[in-house]
Amino acid sequence: MNESLISPFNFSHPTAVQTSLFALGSFARFDPSGRFVGVGRFDGLATIWDLETKAAVRWLDGHVKAVTSLDWSRHSRYVLTSSKDWNVIVWDLASVCDPPQRHATIRCDAPVSSASFHPRNSQIILALLTTGEVYLIDLRKNHRSRTELYEPEGDEDGIEGQSTRRYTMTVARFDTSGKYVFIGTSGGYILVFNSRTKTMIARHRIAGGAGSIKGLDFAKNGRRLVTNSSDRTLRQFIVPNYPRSSDTAVESFIEEELEPTHRFNDPINKTAWHAVSYSPDGEWLAGGAADAANHKIYIWDISNDGQFASTLDGGREPLAHLHWHPSKASIASTTNQGNILIWHSPNAERWGAFAGGFEEVDENVEYEEREDEFDIEDEAEILRRKKEAEQDDVDIDTIDGETVNPLLHSAINGVNGVNGGSDNGGVGGGALDEDMKWADEDADDDIGTWKMQILMEDDENQM
Amino acid sequence: MDQSSAEINDHEMQDGTQNDAGNNSIQGPPNAASPTPVKTPQKPEQKLTFSPKYMLSGHMKPVSSLKFSPDGKTLASCGADKLIKFWDAYTGEILRTLEGHEEGISDIAWSFDGDFLASVSDDKSVRIWDFALGTQVRLLLGHTSFVFCVNYNPNSNLLVTGGFDETVRVWDVGRGKTLKVLPAHSDPVTSVAFNHDGTLIVSCAMDGLIRMWDTDSGQCLKTLVDDDNPICSHVKFSPNSRFVLVSTQDSTIRLWNYHSSRCVKTYVGHTNRTYCIPACFSNTKDKYVVSGSEDHKVYVWNLQTCQIMQVLEGHRDTTLAIDTHPTKDIIASAAMEKDLTIRLWFGEQSAMAEEPGPH
């Protein structure tokens, strides 16, 4: 809503630190509305911070060991935390108590290194264990299951069959539509599973080899994906189109090498990357450098053929994690001391805004006086003209498209990702395919109208 | 508690024709109750007519503000008698009286869920009350003079206040701390509000300026000023936040498109030269604008044509406080010293809809 008044310029990348949150966190993730950040801590606590007030508003106290990941449901009602204590917990932020009510607790067979919600239904959860196994956990009444996603033995391919040891899985993510699960392995492969049938549909070797894959991020439209691997290079790929799940034979999968469109690295210091994140429009890519002495974020301009754009310097505390805001030019980066830096793109104060009817110009303009500019007009005439200008009907209810609230916005983006994103085009015309229908069955109660209650901290009551 | 002092005069107003709004259908003489001096009501389409339903008395001094709760069930009122009173919006019964302020209260605002009510007073304090418990949960101190206006943001984690110290303050509700002090105006701030997504704040003051602020950075983004620079007494965003409705003390209400800095509608006919009288939008199918007036009446304009739809008569003093119901055609109004009552006016459509499910 305020954008149209602030700046005529388009979206850019953040340039300066706006706030530092003393959160003792090991990572921080924005929620889909961009109002909150969820912070995971080493002591097993997860905290929810309100960025409007820059204060912690909820304390999720349930894990006994370090929190390894945190994910938000699409309207931010549910929060998923995974921990080294072998548990995955779903929290319901709509509950009025603090700590919020646990919605579900899932016990796994090993420490959990990451967990995420299905983008369309928060009752479907993807969990990666430190042992290198990935489980798809379905909490819905009619689908209740826990399925391991495993790579079939490669014997049908003969040649590779013997040599392909099953590598451990090092990263697991849903794509933006939720139809597929993308898994990176220690051998530099990307495995793609159908999340409904739980079968592998594709195995991609990264061209040239990449070493163990450490991280994976999708652009919001789902068409591009970036990997972070142990050879200190970030690679961007175009996500291939996969045939519809019903069209393929059960046991077959695509074996294909993926050629990156861009490679991003630091040619001088050869630093590794701790984290990588796309901007909401997919035009910028931020990489968090694993520099031991500095807090550095590298920004590349994807729309400009991946050219390096700038380095953000966040001071002395080395970077541990970063995440780009879902709709703004803002980044949350975490230092290894546990502080969360919120980056923004500051707007210069326009002092001209304080004077009514005053307009700032960037350069001198020769002013040409209109012929009738200082003529004395008939007051009745002025009044009549004013009246005329007020004839048009005004619309005080419709909220125009560009200024829809962020919640609505993310929902729209989700739909775009479905229809135009990683799909093979068979879905066009708005019809949902069976993978979508499957995910939408037993929908969760995470609806857009939900709002978090404000808790009054009693201990600070000055009464 | 002086609950007893608040008694209801159940729908017994001066006109006998309107004995019970529920029983007589829309057929009655459309304007018998309030013969409006302005001749516009001859429109062929179905017309909305307001008639008095309840008269609530209880306040000992002028009522300064009236606010319907977000669910529409409760009406909150506050006044110079330092009290906040809650009334059942459908029956007019008194529900509760809150006391705590040391001076008269100027404005109140509900949180989005209706759980909390914020009040501002001449004792320089802002207080937040728990509606269910009827207790004060927060005392926010910081203003250096009378606090005059207050509003919550849509998430209700922020509160914005303005006052005679010429500043606008943004508060963190959860922690009870000042987040920002905006040196907003050079005269008392008479009204502040957030837009529908909370990213903008609008303020207006006796210096005649209307300013838009960025909530996040606190920067001034725009200033609107009318040619004649009249004192601005109230400002409010339209439901979609594309316009602001501004009441000025030249007896005019203007609807501004703040992007183009143009006035798109002007509502005149009422009298407003001295007091800060608010104007409200309807929230129902019929689009209208409502305001109080210093000629003791309440004016209802058609939003688009700017014609007066109806003039509600009955109050015996300046109608200083006004609010419209969030979902139904109900107007609440209250007047100053010589009257001290709150009146609830029910639009005919709403009277029909209200009857099947009384609360």
Side-chain angles (χ1 to χ4, degrees):
Chain A
M1 194 74 226
N2 53 356
E3 290 91 344
S4 48
L5 283 184
I6 291 176
S7 157
F9 300 112
N10 281 329
F11 189 84
S12 153
H13 63 78
T15 51
V17 175
Q18 181 191 30
T19 343
S20 176
L21 310 176
F22 183 66
L24 299 172
S26 53
F27 63 88
R29 278 185 69 87
F30 285 106
D31 82 314
S33 73
R35 179 181 158 198
F36 303 106
V37 283
V39 176
R41 311 199 332 180
F42 288 109
D43 59 3
L45 211 61
T47 47
I48 307 297
W49 291 70
D50 186 337
L51 290 177
E52 286 177 342
T53 58
K54 315 276 190 292
V57 290
R58 291 291 190 280
W59 306 76
L60 314 181
D61 188 2
H63 293 292
V64 294
K65 283 187 177 169
V67 177
T68 52
S69 80
L70 183 147
D71 195 22
W72 295 86
S73 64
R74 60 196 185 288
H75 295 305
S76 313
R77 173 168 173 180
Y78 296 106
V79 172
L80 179 68
T81 54
S82 68
S83 162
K84 286 184 179 165
D85 69 358
W86 300 24
N87 282 336
V88 173
I89 301 180
V90 182
W91 306 87
D92 183 1
L93 295 185
S95 55
V96 283
C97 48
D98 187 47
Q101 210 170 355
R102 288 186 194 203
H103 192 63
T105 306
I106 302 154
R107 178 91 176 150
C108 295
D109 304 326
V112 189
S113 51
S114 85
S116 48
F117 282 125
H118 189 287
R120 297 177 77 91
N121 196 327
S122 67
Q123 297 168 86
I124 307 168
I125 291 163
L126 181 70
L128 169 72
L129 309 186
T130 51
T131 52
E133 293 150 358
V134 173
Y135 287 92
L136 202 58
I137 299 156
D138 202 326
L139 299 174
R140 294 176 294 177
K141 271 212 177 68
N142 303 323
H143 294 85
R144 194 168 283 274
S145 63
R146 183 181 296 205
T147 319
E148 186 182 353
L149 300 182
Y150 65 93
E151 189 182 352
E153 304 298 336
D155 27 21
E156 62 233 45
D157 298 37
I159 326 137
E160 270 193 88
Q162 310 306 76
S163 58
T164 330
R165 194 173 55 79
R166 271 177 60 187
Y167 294 105
T168 53
M169 297 174 176
T170 48
V171 52
R173 287 282 303 268
F174 281 108
D175 76 332
T176 47
S177 69
K179 287 172 74 168
Y180 306 112
V181 175
F182 281 67
I183 294 175
T185 71
S186 59
Y189 282 88
I190 297 172
L191 313 177
V192 185
F193 289 80
N194 180 298
S195 40
R196 178 176 60 92
T197 60
K198 279 106 179 155
T199 52
M200 189 165 91
I201 57 165
R203 175 162 62 193
H204 301 294
R205 205 179 89 88
I206 292 176
S212 174
I213 295 178
K214 290 158 61 186
L216 205 64
D217 191 42
F218 289 92
K220 229 177 184 177
N221 64 9
R223 286 177 188 280
R224 281 177 286 138
L225 121 93
V226 63
T227 62
N228 175 21
S229 48
S230 58
D231 66 352
R232 310 186 163 208
T233 306
L234 307 176
R235 289 179 175 81
Q236 179 179 258
F237 303 95
I238 304 292
V239 177
N241 287 330
Y242 300 108
R244 300 178 71 160
S245 53
S246 50
D247 299 345
T248 52
V250 183
E251 284 302 317
S252 73
F253 57 87
I254 302 164
E255 185 86 50
E256 194 187 10
E257 196 159 87
L258 273 188
E259 182 68 43
T261 59
H262 294 94
R263 289 185 176 81
F264 307 100
N265 51 26
D266 178 357
I268 300 148
N269 300 319
K270 297 265 182 259
T271 50
W273 308 100
H274 271 320
V276 56
S277 189
Y278 274 110
S279 69
D281 57 2
E283 302 211 337
W284 306 89
L285 183 72
D291 188 317
N294 289 299
H295 191 99
K296 284 229 159 80
I297 299 171
Y298 288 63
I299 310 265
W300 291 277
D301 186 350
I302 302 284
S303 56
N304 197 358
D305 201 33
Q307 210 169 45
F308 172 73
S310 74
T311 319
L312 309 181
D313 188 350
R316 292 260 148 253
E317 297 177 7
L319 179 141
H321 190 267
L322 71 83
H323 187 225
W324 201 302
H325 189 281
S327 56
K328 279 201 294 195
S330 174
I331 289 177
S333 70
T334 312
T335 73
N336 71 348
Q337 307 293 303
N339 294 322
I340 318 286
L341 307 182
I342 307 291
W343 297 79
H344 73 149
S345 151
N347 295 293
E349 182 108 51
R350 285 183 298 124
W351 300 107
F354 278 93
F358 184 85
E359 217 172 291
E360 281 180 53
V361 286
D362 291 328
E363 45 190 79
N364 284 336
V365 179
E366 192 107 351
Y367 187 74
E368 284 205 25
E369 187 186 317
R370 280 195 332 273
E371 178 59 41
D372 57 349
E373 184 157 359
F374 296 105
D375 290 2
I376 294 162
E377 271 192 285
D378 186 15
E379 272 191 36
E381 180 68 12
I382 298 172
L383 208 67
R384 193 190 59 81
R385 188 133 27 82
K386 268 192 176 174
K387 268 248 158 64
E388 220 156 68
E390 291 174 12
Q391 285 302 310
D392 296 337
D393 275 6
V394 291
D395 175 9
I396 60 163
D397 287 314
T398 323
I399 294 162
D400 39 341
E402 55 180 286
T403 54
V404 287
N405 72 53
L407 286 176
L408 216 66
H409 210 66
S410 66
I412 290 166
N413 280 331
V415 171
N416 286 342
V418 169
N419 287 336
S422 62
D423 218 283
N424 59 358
V427 179
L432 295 176
D433 73 356
E434 51 190 323
D435 293 326
M436 298 293 167
K437 278 190 202 139
W438 168 81
D440 288 345
E441 278 173 41
D442 293 323
D444 56 24
D445 46 359
D446 176 31
I447 48 169
T449 51
W450 167 80
K451 271 189 181 178
M452 190 188 275
Q453 280 222 325
I454 304 305
L455 294 180
M456 300 284 183
E457 287 168 29
D458 292 330
D459 49 347
E460 283 190 15
N461 203 342
Q462 298 109 319
M463 280 292 292
Chain B
M1 291 285 178
D2 58 344
Q3 234 112 327
S4 54
S5 74
E7 82 260 12
I8 322 147
N9 290 4
D10 221 294
H11 44 94
E12 268 311 301
M13 311 290 287
Q14 57 270 64
D15 60 306
T17 52
Q18 200 74 24
N19 46 12
D20 191 18
N23 291 342
N24 69 2
S25 56
I26 326 156
Q27 276 323 9
N31 255 341
S34 52
T36 54
V38 185
K39 44 239 150 243
T40 43
Q42 270 77 38
K43 276 273 178 94
E45 73 239 32
Q46 193 183 14
K47 219 177 68 68
L48 181 69
T49 317
F50 287 93
S51 45
K53 177 111 182 215
Y54 301 119
M55 197 157 91
L56 321 176
S57 48
H59 280 286
M60 323 283 234
K61 282 187 176 175
V63 178
S64 54
S65 185
L66 290 170
K67 293 285 163 75
F68 282 104
S69 64
D71 65 2
K73 287 183 186 160
T74 313
L75 177 72
S77 64
C78 67
D81 55 4
K82 310 170 201 174
L83 301 178
I84 298 168
K85 285 177 186 284
F86 295 111
W87 314 82
D88 187 313
Y90 301 128
T91 65
E93 268 172 80
I94 178 92
L95 300 174
R96 177 168 265 156
T97 302
L98 303 177
E99 42 193 329
H101 275 294
E102 288 149 28
E103 296 292 339
I105 304 170
S106 292
D107 199 9
I108 44 177
W110 290 91
S111 65
F112 76 89
D113 49 12
D115 286 354
F116 299 104
L117 186 90
S119 62
V120 296
S121 153
D122 286 357
D123 64 9
K124 304 174 192 174
S125 73
V126 182
R127 289 171 205 245
I128 299 175
W129 310 82
D130 186 311
F131 171 60
L133 301 174
T135 54
Q136 179 183 322
V137 289
R138 272 278 178 280
L139 173 65
L140 310 176
L141 296 173
H143 275 290
T144 54
S145 186
F146 311 143
V147 198
F148 195 70
C149 47
V150 62
N151 256 311
Y152 271 102
N153 74 337
N155 291 323
S156 297
N157 55 346
L158 301 178
L159 200 65
V160 63
T161 58
F164 277 58
D165 58 5
E166 300 167 8
T167 64
V168 167
R169 274 171 191 261
V170 182
W171 306 82
D172 174 351
V173 174
R175 287 184 298 176
K177 292 192 173 109
T178 304
L179 284 177
K180 286 193 181 71
V181 184
L182 310 177
H185 291 278
S186 50
D187 267 315
V189 179
T190 50
S191 185
V192 281
F194 282 99
N195 71 335
H196 76 276
D197 66 0
T199 53
L200 289 173
I201 295 172
V202 64
S203 67
C204 74
M206 290 191 174
D207 57 11
L209 303 176
I210 304 140
R211 288 207 162 113
M212 321 287 301
W213 307 84
D214 182 43
T215 309
D216 200 32
S217 66
Q219 291 177 347
C220 178
L221 299 178
K222 187 118 192 177
T223 300
L224 301 176
V225 58
D226 193 60
D227 297 340
D228 308 327
N229 206 17
I231 290 176
C232 290
S233 46
H234 188 257
V235 63
K236 188 183 181 76
F237 275 105
S238 69
N240 63 1
S241 306
R242 257 196 255 172
F243 304 96
V244 286
L245 186 67
V246 182
S247 311
T248 47
Q249 292 183 11
D250 56 353
S251 299
T252 311
I253 299 165
R254 290 182 180 86
L255 188 66
W256 287 84
N257 178 334
Y258 58 86
H259 288 287
S260 61
S261 306
R262 277 189 34 222
C263 172
V264 292
K265 297 281 171 193
T266 309
Y267 306 94
V268 289
H270 64 307
T271 317
N272 184 6
R273 302 264 169 211
T274 319
Y275 297 103
C276 289
I277 300 176
C280 304
F281 291 105
S282 68
N283 305 296
T284 53
K285 181 167 106 310
D286 293 87
K287 297 292 165 213
Y288 50 90
V289 171
V290 188
S291 175
S293 170
E294 283 155 19
D295 59 8
H296 311 179
K297 295 168 192 159
V298 175
Y299 286 75
V300 185
W301 291 269
N302 181 309
L303 172 78
Q304 304 294 1
T305 65
C306 303
Q307 304 279 325
I308 294 172
M309 277 167 61
Q310 198 181 348
V311 179
L312 311 180
E313 293 180 68
H315 279 298
R316 289 188 298 274
D317 203 343
T318 298
T319 42
L320 186 64
I322 278 281
D323 198 25
T324 48
H325 192 275
T327 54
K328 295 174 188 209
D329 286 313
I330 303 175
I331 297 171
S333 65
M336 293 183 63
E337 278 94 349
K338 291 189 209 121
D339 188 321
L340 297 181
T341 60
I342 302 165
R343 291 178 196 224
L344 284 170
W345 313 76
F346 281 53
E348 229 147 56
Q349 281 126 331
S350 81
M352 294 291 289
E354 190 264 338
E355 213 51 37
H359 290 263

